[in-house]
Amino acid sequence: MLDFFTIFSKGGLVLWCFQGVSDSCTGPVNALIRSVLLQERGGNNSFTHEALTLKYKLDNQFELVFVVGFQKILTLTYVDKLIDDVHRLFRDKYRTEIQQQSALSLLNGTFDFQNDFLRLLREAEESSKIRAPTTMKKFEDSEKAKKPVRSMIETRGEKPKEKAKNSRKTKGAKKEGSDGPLATSKAVPAEKPGPVGPENGVELSKEELIRRKREEFMQKHGRGMEKSGKSAKSDAPKEKGKKAPRVWALGGSAPKEVLDYSTPTTNGAPEVAPPEDINLIRGTGPGGQLQDLDCSSSDDEGTAQNSTKPSATKGTLGGMFGMLKGLVGSKSLTREDMESVLDKMRDHLIAKNVAADIAVQLCESVASKLEGKVMGTFSTVTSTVKQALQESLVQILQPQRRVDMLRDIMDAQRHQRPYVVTFCGVNGVGKSTNLAKISFWLLENRFSVLIAACDTFRAGAVEQLRTHTRRLSALHPPEKHGGRTMVQLFEKGYGKDAAGIAMEAIAFARNQGFDVVLVDTAGRMQDNAPLMTALAKLITVNAPDLVLFVGEALVGNEAVDQLVKFNRALADHSMAQTPRLIDGIVLTKFDTIDDKVGAAISMTYITSKPIVFVGTGQTYCDLRSLNAKAVVAALMKA
């Protein structure tokens, strides 16, 4: 049973609606428009909203959308046929009203489609019932029943099917053996005859001879390796007792206590920074203002200038004919017209590090967006598809919610509470380094920062944050801020509960008047269930204002797996009814990928969350905000 069926224009005017139940269809349809149609995610014609499954079809020629909704626990096989039949009949019946392309004519038009729809629904339901249930196959109908009993009897030596093959191979071996005595001596092993061989009246094939030679070789050399292994094991305990640590003449020796350079510090005590080059640590550029990401390089500009020179030398006649070659005139696009272009686009996206599944869905979305659309006179299929793909990519990189940290921090200040940000991600992506960059950006905007060292697992994690804190304190000493400590590290050592440390850090920041708390967590793989449970516990207990996933720009298909499993683990292991998921993405190591920027598309497409920060270097100023058009330009560059 259908819950609703509605037809509306892409401008938002509802032309006709069928309501099967009393609940309104406005909420599910609006969710479909926000999450799929406006976000250019039309690769799949199905969408799930709460307890409903929505299937839709786009008519790009007349700018119409057909949507049907039903309960997702039902399996309705006739829905696809129904939506195609309704689309065909509605378009043909009201073609003149729709072709006027004016909102006033659509509003004044009367679309009496109720009886036609009920007839099509009845026919679709009856056609699904007419199909006879599939019966199980009987033994008499199978191929095994047609075989004689003699063909199923197996001899003790080998299978009957292999006899004919082996006899053919032995004939070939006989001919090769008759060429000379060397061939026969190589073909037949004379040292150790097996149970099946020339002595028993059955000759061996080439494959069996090679296999037997290989087994004899492994037996001979395996014994020698076992003997050498035994001798090595027998000599090991003799040398074990005599081994002593070496003492170098000029190196000296030091006890283990001297090697521990991590001096314990209490929370709240400012650390004295050793003399370092502050300019090298800070970097160049304005630290308080995030610059847009620039994906172009000097090499690209040079190649662009060189490519324009030979084009000027070409004849104007040849250039004119080349331009007119691909024009298609005023015609509606079909799947066949776009197939070759979309295949090239898909391969190009995969080569630029976009995940393979995401590239396929993007091309499907572009195809469904352009199918049936009438092209202009002076436009080619390639240019039309490329322009539609660029628009889709820009729309994907500008998701529904924009994260403005500075505005949210000022809002938290008005409520006299600290703004809490939690960083999570897999191992080695640069969580601690980019946390320090974000700390410097906040310090430049005159916000005090408390860094919570909740990575109690990795050796050196606390010392790394302590070094960053010392350097940030050197860049922003209390003397410049009226004696106020602007950055501080909160740590409890190793082996402690990360969720408890984060809770204590937030309470400490509230008492001491810190503006922002940045929580650093341990790196963990997305398949590690115990660590993912601990992360979900930390987020559920402390309820941070922002959860940032830190991922590197070098990954391709792995980005999809990481984000999907992180979100799924946070949802599964959370104790709350509405689990807290990832709110934004920090993309690191962006300066190492040249124009292979596909990871940004993959991560944003999967989560529908924005890329808040982009790490582009090793200094504190190497932090950028994402420029969607620059990323798409680099992605589409050949």
Side-chain angles (χ1 to χ4, degrees), residues 28 33 52 61 76 95 100 140 156 172 209 427 504 509 625 638:
I33 294 171
L52 292 178
Q61 184 177 359
L76 303 181
R95 183 184 294 269
Q100 292 179 4
E140 289 77 9
R156 191 172 184 180
L209 287 172
N427 308 78
E504 293 180 18
S625 62

Side-chain angles (χ1 to χ4, degrees), residues 246-430:
R246 176 175 293 183
V247 179
W248 297 96
L250 300 176
S253 61
K256 293 182 179 179
E257 290 78 7
V258 182
L259 298 177
D260 187 10
Y261 295 103
S262 58
T263 56
T265 57
T266 58
N267 295 315
E271 299 184 6
V272 180
E276 293 178 300
D277 192 352
I278 300 298
N279 293 326
L280 290 177
I281 299 170
R282 183 189 186 280
T284 59
Q289 184 178 2
L290 287 179
Q291 298 179 353
D292 287 339
L293 184 67
D294 186 14
C295 298
S296 61
S297 60
S298 58
D299 298 337
D300 301 334
E301 294 174 359
T303 53
Q305 291 177 0
N306 295 332
S307 61
T308 54
K309 291 180 181 179
S311 62
T313 59
K314 286 185 179 180
T316 56
L317 188 62
M320 181 64 69
F321 278 113
M323 184 182 71
L324 296 175
K325 184 178 179 181
L327 299 181
V328 294
S330 299
K331 61 166 290 188
S332 58
L333 281 174
T334 61
R335 290 265 179 174
E336 289 75 14
D337 297 333
M338 299 181 287
E339 187 175 358
S340 60
V341 181
L342 288 174
D343 289 343
K344 293 179 182 178
M345 290 293 179
R346 185 186 64 248
D347 296 340
H348 176 76
L349 291 175
I350 294 173
K352 288 299 181 80
N353 230 7
V354 179
D357 296 339
I358 305 299
V360 172
Q361 293 179 28
L362 282 171
C363 293
E364 284 294 324
S365 175
V366 171
S368 61
K369 180 181 177 181
L370 294 178
E371 187 177 9
K373 187 175 182 180
V374 178
M375 297 177 57
T377 306
F378 294 98
S379 59
T380 62
V381 178
T382 305
S383 63
T384 305
V385 172
K386 189 174 181 180
Q387 183 180 359
L389 183 60
Q390 285 180 343
E391 293 173 357
S392 300
L393 293 174
V394 171
Q395 193 67 35
I396 287 168
L397 288 174
Q398 296 173 347
Q400 307 170 15
R401 178 175 177 265
R402 181 175 178 267
V403 176
D404 191 346
M405 277 187 63
L406 299 180
R407 180 194 60 194
D408 296 340
I409 292 170
M410 288 187 286
D411 184 63
Q413 279 181 334
R414 285 192 290 270
H415 292 85
Q416 296 181 355
R417 65 174 184 85
Y419 185 80
V420 184
V421 184
T422 300
F423 294 82
C424 62
V426 300
N427 308 78
V429 294

Side-chain angles (χ1 to χ4, degrees), residues 535-547:
L535 178 64
K537 174 188 172 185
L538 185 147
I539 293 174
T540 305
V541 169
N542 296 286
D545 297 282
L546 188 64
V547 179

Side-chain angles (χ1 to χ4, degrees), residues 205-219:
S205 62
K206 284 185 178 182
E207 290 80 3
E208 292 177 348
L209 287 172
I210 293 171
R211 181 176 54 80
R212 178 175 288 183
K213 291 280 187 182
R214 190 174 295 155
E215 290 176 357
E216 293 175 359
F217 178 79
M218 293 299 293
Q219 288 175 2

Side-chain angles (χ1 to χ4, degrees), residues 62-198:
F62 298 112
E63 301 289 326
L64 298 178
V65 183
F66 297 79
V67 183
V68 58
F70 55 93
Q71 296 292 321
K72 66 180 180 181
I73 60 173
L74 301 178
T75 304
L76 303 181
T77 58
Y78 60 85
V79 171
D80 292 329
K81 180 181 182 302
L82 174 65
I83 200 169
D84 290 338
D85 294 342
V86 171
H87 167 238
R88 192 181 305 109
L89 181 61
F90 189 86
R91 183 187 59 187
D92 295 341
K93 187 174 182 179
Y94 302 105
R95 183 184 294 269
T96 56
E97 288 88 343
I98 299 170
Q99 280 181 341
Q100 292 179 4
Q101 297 290 334
S102 63
L104 186 60
S105 63
L106 292 177
L107 284 172
N108 295 330
T110 56
F111 300 96
D112 187 11
F113 196 67
Q114 187 78 10
N115 296 330
D116 296 328
F117 173 77
L118 293 176
R119 177 177 56 82
L120 292 176
L121 177 61
R122 198 179 310 111
E123 292 176 358
E125 289 176 347
E126 290 175 357
S127 65
S128 63
K129 294 177 183 178
I130 290 173
R131 296 178 182 176
T134 57
T135 57
M136 294 183 63
K137 197 174 184 181
K138 296 182 180 179
F139 176 74
E140 289 77 9
D141 301 333
S142 63
E143 295 182 359
K144 191 173 182 180
K146 300 176 184 178
K147 294 181 181 179
V149 180
R150 185 177 297 177
S151 64
M152 302 181 188
I153 299 174
E154 298 182 359
T155 58
R156 191 172 184 180
E158 57 181 345
K159 294 180 181 179
K161 290 182 180 179
E162 296 178 353
K163 282 187 177 181
K165 296 181 181 178
N166 291 339
S167 62
R168 292 175 186 172
K169 292 178 180 177
T170 50
K171 287 180 183 179
K174 284 181 181 179
K175 290 180 181 180
E176 292 178 359
S178 62
D179 293 340
L182 292 174
T184 56
S185 63
K186 289 180 180 178
V188 181
E191 295 179 1
K192 292 183 180 180
V196 180

